[in-house]
Amino acid sequence: MGEAVDGRRLLLVGTYTPDSDPPGEGAGIYRVWFDPMTGEMADGGVAARTPGPSFLAFHEDPATVYAVNERAEGTVAAFRVDGQARLTELGSAPTGGGSPCHVLAVDFRLTVANYANGVATVYGLEKDGTLTAGAAEFANTGSGPVTDRQEGPHAHSAAAPDERHVLVADLGTDELRVIRDGEQVGAVSLPPGTGPRHTAVAGEYLYVAGELDSRVHVLRWDPGTGTAEHLGSVHATGEEAAGDNFPAEILTNGDHVYVSNRGADTISTFAVRDGGARLEHVANAPAGGPWPRNFTVVRGHREEPDHLVVAAQNGDSLASLLLDPDTGVPADTGHRLGVPVPVCVLPVPITRIRRAEGS
């Protein structure tokens, strides 16, 4: 991620707003400046007023941020980002479903997951970052054993394991739905009751956060066949917690995998073993606030350390955690920044944007 003039990094934070579903007290997308040496955060004000931007994605060329608008009739909006960290809306489009909760920008395609009806929608991107006219909508059928959450399909996120494929995590049907070259071609089954929420990709391995079984599942991806082998799973908190703990985000950083745990209110650290085929639970660290939703890795440059920045949804705050360079385990820096109902943290490379502008 790039730097500001004074060395601070730019983070954009998505929130729930009074006109989103669910509603919240946020005003839209917030701008945050992060000090990569200390972990201190500074309020940069509201960058864009848009309904329920509960998930954000960045596309570098040209510098564009995409935000879902999580409402009963979902939309996705595009914003140009300039070297002053200002957002200018370029337009929006319907998502083909309700409660869109995730957006993925890869190359010249944008994928949105609609939770309410399970539809995954794929848009083309024009060279200026705007959405092309028309979109492909991919529905699903099925259910799962957790009857109050898995009565039907619930697309929750999208991940790209290679250049041709996108995997849509369907919490309602315990599947990773496979989209190849813009066509839905099959699905990878997960154990019943997994409730897959988010997927992290590390080479040929996939790490899937199970929201309903409170486990992290390990799969080996085969790009040639568009299928994956389920290798096993581990408890998201190191112990049985299904029904009491609900994992949310999952990310990789070096030889470690991190998971946010809503309920336990921790960030779990896993060490990657056997070349990626197995995860070993290392530690649980306090997340810095209640109901930790999304988080991001702020990677240090040169002498700077790595940090995690965690959105504590029910704490109306962001927390910064310092990653131990030897163990990989996060520790609370004590730094907090108040943001109403933060649900997504997106790093934006502001230095590269400024260079592209010639400023």
Side-chain angles (χ1 to χ4, degrees):
M1 188 173 64
E3 302 173 1
V5 171
D6 58 1
R8 294 186 297 175
R9 311 291 183 83
L10 173 62
L11 305 175
L12 296 179
V13 180
T15 64
Y16 285 125
T17 59
D19 51 356
S20 65
D21 184 13
E25 297 306 313
I29 301 172
Y30 288 76
R31 188 187 297 108
V32 172
W33 296 105
F34 182 85
D35 186 324
M37 289 301 296
T38 66
E40 188 174 2
M41 296 168 285
D43 182 5
V46 177
R49 296 184 182 275
T50 189
S54 63
F55 207 88
L56 310 173
F58 178 73
H59 192 274
E60 185 164 352
D61 188 17
T64 311
V65 167
Y66 301 94
V68 297
N69 300 124
E70 189 167 340
R71 295 181 292 183
E73 295 183 2
T75 51
V76 59
F79 298 87
R80 177 73 68 248
V81 191
D82 70 14
Q84 301 304 310
R86 293 174 298 210
L87 298 188
T88 302
E89 185 166 353
L90 303 176
S92 64
T95 61
S99 302
C101 57
H102 191 273
V103 57
L104 173 73
V106 177
D107 296 327
F108 287 97
R109 283 199 180 123
L110 194 77
T111 304
V112 173
N114 291 284
Y115 182 84
N117 63 352
V119 168
T121 304
V122 179
Y123 309 81
L125 296 178
E126 301 286 3
K127 290 185 178 180
D128 64 356
T130 58
L131 304 176
T132 59
E137 297 180 5
F138 301 107
N140 195 24
T141 59
S143 59
V146 184
T147 55
D148 62 332
R149 296 291 308 279
Q150 295 186 306
E151 78 295 343
H154 292 301
H156 216 309
S157 67
D162 57 59
E163 293 180 352
R164 297 187 61 192
H165 295 90
V166 169
L167 303 178
V168 176
D170 196 318
L171 181 144
T173 64
D174 294 320
E175 295 172 317
L176 299 181
R177 294 152 54 185
V178 181
I179 298 174
R180 178 192 297 138
D181 298 331
E183 296 292 336
Q184 190 162 271
V185 295
V188 175
S189 296
L190 290 159
T194 294
R197 181 184 175 97
H198 279 201
T199 302
V201 178
E204 65 178 319
Y205 294 102
L206 309 174
Y207 306 113
V208 181
E211 178 173 336
L212 302 183
D213 67 357
S214 190
R215 300 183 73 90
V216 179
H217 296 260
V218 182
L219 299 91
R220 182 185 287 112
W221 171 250
D222 184 339
T225 61
T227 60
E229 176 189 5
H230 187 271
L231 301 179
S233 65
V234 292
H235 294 302
T237 59
E239 59 186 17
E240 179 61 49
D244 298 311
N245 181 68
F246 305 92
E249 186 60 86
I250 182 166
L251 295 176
T252 64
N253 187 46
D255 293 329
H256 293 90
V257 173
Y258 300 96
V259 178
S260 59
N261 291 298
R262 299 168 300 168
D265 292 344
T266 60
I267 302 293
S268 291
T269 302
F270 298 86
V272 174
R273 305 297 189 205
D274 301 338
R278 182 173 63 87
L279 295 180
E280 178 184 338
H281 182 264
V282 175
N284 297 321
W291 212 249
R293 177 82 169 261
N294 178 257
F295 64 96
T296 194
V297 179
V298 181
R299 293 180 176 87
H301 298 157
R302 298 175 296 277
E303 75 281 2
E304 299 166 355
D306 290 352
H307 288 84
L308 300 183
V309 177
V310 183
Q313 179 179 345
N314 291 356
D316 293 325
S317 65
L318 302 180
S320 69
L321 312 180
L322 175 67
L323 292 179
D324 187 292
D326 297 319
T327 66
V329 175
D332 196 345
T333 65
H335 292 300
R336 301 288 187 274
L337 181 67
V339 177
V341 279
V343 288
C344 184
V345 185
L346 176 73
V348 175
I350 192 66
T351 292
R352 294 206 295 270
I353 293 171
R354 285 176 171 154
R355 287 192 190 122
E357 292 178 346
S359 57

